[in-house]
């Protein structure tokens, strides 16, 4: 499998200011799924920029401060092994999940299964057409879970877009049987209030619990009216997934959550959660919920219990996702400033807005607290035509260190160290140059995850990338092998 672009390796200055302020397919006729974007992840957009901004972007390329259009650059400790372009599914690429020698890649048009036995030459096993925005994806045993967060005419994979103002519209969770990887079978659907923007699974022996995150209710939506102050909890019996059902809707914000503007200008009003990460080995979960960050207990998975809640009304606009460190004494929260549709890695925005927030967990039991320590944001120059935003990432499992790989849309893939909560630093990167010097365009890695020795990235526009990281600080992780990885269901890497 050949790469889309010739890879160029060069040293780049870090810390410089930005220079530019049937399901299986017969799918080749499938078009992108239409969706109504919410304030979080949005559909791809292009918007023009001023002539001066275009000139600044071109000057930054000519000076070498940023890569050329679609040019690939990376640090010396990363090797770009391959890129697999989009095929039948031409929508936006989204999240990733892993199982054995397979990778599962979400796409607004459905999902794709890769055989990654040879990471240098992944092979497509199946492409499943099932349109619906997000198509956030998880796997457990023989089950695959898929989120639908746009109103559809029905719950089938042949559905069409339909306004959320119509009572008959459907959105929520879909369940597939993947015992035959070449022929996944759609076996269940559960409609959820306000759809499913993302979901998180809590696997048990007989059942899989699914926490469904959704938001942005509206009085005109029959199935998504305010208040929307909690999450849907779905129980999926492994032996009978067709019996999947909602078993609870715990209220997480009895006071309504962050009110947003005008009380807190520039901050999203909390009307639900964007993403939840669970750490089953510690009975913990962390929720990124628009204007709020949560820490809660999942000792009883049907009835999560809030332990602590924090806000950042100075620098955070939209709490997007969360990652525990291996020791369960830190949480990294990400801020999706600009909703995944704006250039935010520049001098105008600065180093703290649109950054990761690193929080230590102090205390014990129900008295634990989230304590802010620092921000981390990539400081590699990005043009004002590049949508750059903190997005999905995972731990790199090394004992005694807190290491993470993270997607930043057109900011590329960043590997960084937060062992010292107060002094995080980037140690490796991979990125492409701007898609355009004339318009702001949503592209770049949606998710970048470390799995069994390699980094896998699902680029919104360019496809599936495989990276190899060689660094003495991260090399011990190559010895850690997992049978399955859903990043929002964090494993205990060293106690298995």
């Amino acid at each position: 499998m050949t790469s889309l672009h010739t890879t160029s390796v060069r040293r780049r200055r870090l810390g410089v200011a930005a220079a530019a302020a049937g399901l299986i397919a017969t799918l080749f006729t499938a078009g992108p799924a239409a969706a109504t974007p919410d304030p979080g992840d949005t559909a791809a957009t292009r918007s023009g920029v001023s002539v001066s901004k275009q000139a600044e972007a071109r000057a930054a390329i000519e000076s070498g401060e940023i890569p050329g259009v679609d040019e690939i650059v990376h640090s010396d400790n990363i090797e770009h092994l391959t890129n697999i372009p989009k095929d039948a599914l031409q929508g936006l690429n989204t999240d990733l999940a892993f199982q054995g020698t397979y990778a599962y890649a979400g796409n607004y048009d459905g999902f794709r299964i890769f055989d990654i036995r040879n990471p240098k030459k992944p092979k497509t096993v199946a492409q499943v057409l099932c349109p619906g925005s997000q198509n956030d994806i998880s796997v457990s045993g023989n089950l695959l879970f898929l989120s639908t967060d746009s109103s559809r005419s029905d719950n089938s994979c042949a559905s069409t877009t339909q306004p959320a103002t119509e009572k008959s519209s459907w959105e929520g969770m879909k369940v597939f049987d993947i015992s035959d990887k070449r022929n996944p079978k759609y076996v269940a659907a559960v409609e959820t209030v306000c759809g499913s923007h993302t979901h998180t699974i809590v696997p048990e022996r007989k059942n899989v619990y699914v926490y469904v995150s959704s938001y942005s209710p509206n009085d005109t939506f029959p199935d998504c009216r305010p208040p929307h102050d909690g999450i849907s909890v779905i129980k999926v019996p492994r032996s009978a997934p067709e019996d999947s059902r909602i078993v609870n809707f715990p209220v997480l914000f009895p006071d309504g959550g962050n009110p947003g503007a005008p009380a807190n200008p520039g901050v999203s009003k909390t009307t639900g959660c964007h993403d939840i990460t669970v750490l089953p080995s510690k009975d913990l979960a962390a929720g990124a919920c628009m204007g709020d960050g949560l820490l809660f207990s999942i000792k009883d998975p049907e009835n999560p219990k809030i332990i602590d809640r924090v806000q950042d009304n100075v620098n955070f606009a939209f709490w997007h996702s969360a990652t525990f460190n291996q020791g369960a004494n830190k949480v990294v929260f990400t801020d999706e400033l600009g909703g995944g549709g704006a250039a935010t890695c520049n001098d105008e925005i600065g180093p703290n807005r649109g950054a990761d927030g690193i929080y230590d967990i102090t205390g014990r039991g129900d008295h634990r607290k989230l304590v802010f320590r620092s921000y981390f944001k990539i400081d590699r120059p990005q043009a004002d035509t590049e949508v750059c935003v903190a997005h999905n990432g995972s731990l790199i499992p090394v004992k005694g260190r807190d290491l993470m790989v993270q997607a930043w849309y057109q900011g590329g893939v960043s590997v960084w160290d937060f062992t010292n909560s107060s002094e995080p630093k980037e140690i490796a990167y991979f990125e492409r140059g701007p898609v355009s010097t004339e318009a702001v365009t949503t592209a770049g890695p949606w998710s970048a995850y470390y799995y069994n020795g390699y980094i896998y990235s699902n680029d919104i526009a360019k496809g599936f990338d495989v990276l190899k990281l060689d660094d003495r600080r991260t090399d011990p992780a190559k010895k850690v092998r997992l049978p399955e990885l859903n990043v929002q269901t964090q494993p205990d890497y060293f106690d298995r």
Side-chain angles (χ1 to χ4, degrees):
M1 190 71 64
T2 56
S3 175
L4 279 177
H5 309 288
T6 301
T7 299
S8 165
V9 182
R10 66 185 185 192
R11 294 188 179 275
R12 302 198 36 221
R13 292 182 294 125
L14 301 182
V16 299
L23 304 181
I24 306 300
T26 60
L27 302 180
F28 294 95
T29 59
T36 302
D38 281 333
D41 305 314
T42 59
T45 57
R46 291 177 68 94
S47 57
V49 296
S50 67
V51 172
S52 63
K53 294 291 186 186
Q54 294 177 34
E56 287 173 357
R58 290 193 294 270
I61 291 172
E62 291 172 3
S63 70
E65 283 194 291
I66 66 173
V69 172
D70 279 346
E71 179 189 3
I72 289 176
V73 295
H74 53 77
S75 53
D76 292 341
N77 52 359
I78 278 185
E79 179 184 358
H80 184 212
L81 297 183
T82 192
N83 169 270
I84 311 297
K86 293 180 185 179
D87 189 6
L89 305 176
Q90 289 294 306
L92 282 68
N93 282 330
T94 60
D95 209 6
L96 294 167
F98 304 89
Q99 191 178 67
T101 58
Y102 294 95
Y104 302 81
N107 179 285
Y108 269 49
D109 284 343
F111 64 93
R112 187 173 182 180
I113 303 177
F114 293 100
D115 182 338
I116 55 171
R117 195 174 324 242
N118 181 352
K120 293 182 179 180
K121 295 184 178 181
K123 297 178 180 178
T124 298
V125 175
Q127 298 185 71
V128 177
L129 176 63
C130 200
S133 80
Q134 290 296 117
N135 277 338
D136 192 44
I137 193 166
S138 296
V139 292
S140 181
N142 288 329
L143 298 178
L144 179 146
F145 304 90
L146 203 66
S147 287
T148 299
D149 194 38
S150 56
S151 294
R152 313 294 300 177
S153 55
D154 55 49
N155 65 9
S156 76
C157 286
S159 68
T160 57
T161 58
Q162 185 166 289
T165 52
E166 294 189 24
K167 176 62 178 173
S168 63
S169 294
W170 183 94
E171 50 187 316
M173 285 300 308
K174 295 169 181 166
V175 184
F176 291 78
D177 183 325
I178 53 170
S179 52
D180 180 355
K181 303 293 186 291
R182 297 186 178 278
N183 186 29
K185 290 180 169 48
Y186 183 12
V187 295
V190 179
E191 186 171 13
T192 56
V193 177
C194 299
S196 176
H197 195 74
T198 66
H199 69 269
T200 305
I201 63 171
V202 184
E204 295 190 338
R205 182 172 297 178
K206 293 184 178 180
N207 304 298
V208 179
Y209 289 96
V210 184
Y211 293 165
V212 176
S213 296
S214 57
Y215 53 92
S216 292
N218 190 301
D219 283 323
T220 67
F221 298 165
D223 298 321
C224 181
R225 288 184 171 135
H228 183 63
D229 48 15
I231 58 173
S232 297
V233 180
I234 299 173
K235 184 177 182 179
V236 182
R238 291 188 186 275
S239 60
E242 64 276 8
D243 293 335
S244 301
R245 62 188 178 91
I246 295 174
V247 293
N248 196 10
F249 187 87
V251 173
L252 304 180
F253 306 100
D255 65 351
N258 196 317
N264 298 316
V267 179
S268 294
K269 178 181 178 180
T270 298
T271 60
C273 289
H274 181 279
D275 211 346
I276 292 170
T277 293
V278 297
L279 189 58
S281 64
K282 305 294 185 183
D283 291 328
L284 282 177
C289 303
M290 304 183 72
D292 294 89
L294 300 180
L295 180 70
F296 49 99
S297 167
I298 57 167
K299 187 172 291 186
D300 177 357
E302 288 191 22
N303 297 282
K305 178 183 177 182
I306 302 298
I307 297 174
D308 194 24
R309 171 178 154 198
V310 290
Q311 296 178 353
D312 180 343
N313 295 317
V314 176
N315 287 312
F316 262 46
F318 187 94
W319 295 65
H320 177 277
S321 53
T323 302
F324 288 98
N325 71 334
Q326 180 61 39
N329 59 6
K330 300 177 188 178
V331 181
V332 174
F333 288 104
T334 68
D335 176 26
E336 194 182 41
L337 177 67
T344 66
C345 299
N346 52 31
D347 280 344
E348 179 183 358
I349 301 299
N352 295 336
R353 295 172 61 210
D356 296 325
I358 303 166
Y359 286 74
D360 283 352
I361 301 174
T362 64
R364 294 184 178 182
D366 291 346
H367 300 290
R368 282 172 285 193
K369 297 292 182 183
L370 292 165
V371 180
F372 174 77
R373 293 304 185 203
S374 68
Y375 296 108
F376 169 77
K377 188 175 182 180
I378 59 170
D379 56 4
R380 286 172 283 110
Q382 304 297 316
D384 279 347
T385 58
E386 293 182 276
V387 170
C388 178
V389 66
H391 224 244
N392 296 345
S394 75
L395 292 185
I396 298 177
V398 175
K399 283 187 177 182
R401 301 188 76 96
D402 295 325
L403 303 168
M404 187 172 174
V405 57
Q406 186 176 3
W408 284 80
Y409 276 30
Q410 288 192 72
V413 174
S414 174
V415 179
W416 59 291
D417 186 330
F418 62 105
T419 306
N420 182 337
S421 301
S422 299
E423 296 184 6
K425 58 183 179 181
E426 184 173 75
I427 62 173
Y429 68 88
F430 166 89
E431 69 168 289
R432 290 180 170 88
V435 172
S436 168
T437 58
E438 299 178 355
V440 179
T441 307
T442 298
W446 178 293
S447 299
Y449 298 146
Y450 187 92
Y451 177 69
N452 291 354
Y454 297 88
I455 293 171
Y456 296 91
S457 167
N458 211 19
D459 189 292
I460 294 168
K462 301 297 183 183
F464 184 69
D465 287 303
V466 185
L467 310 175
K468 186 179 180 183
L469 176 63
D470 288 310
D471 188 289
R472 59 178 178 76
R473 293 163 289 191
T474 61
D475 283 347
K478 295 176 182 178
K479 298 177 182 179
V480 178
R481 313 299 291 184
L482 297 177
E484 187 172 279
L485 178 63
N486 301 287
V487 168
Q488 285 72 39
T489 306
Q490 281 189 222
D492 187 327
Y493 290 95
F494 305 112
D495 185 21
R496 292 179 290 111

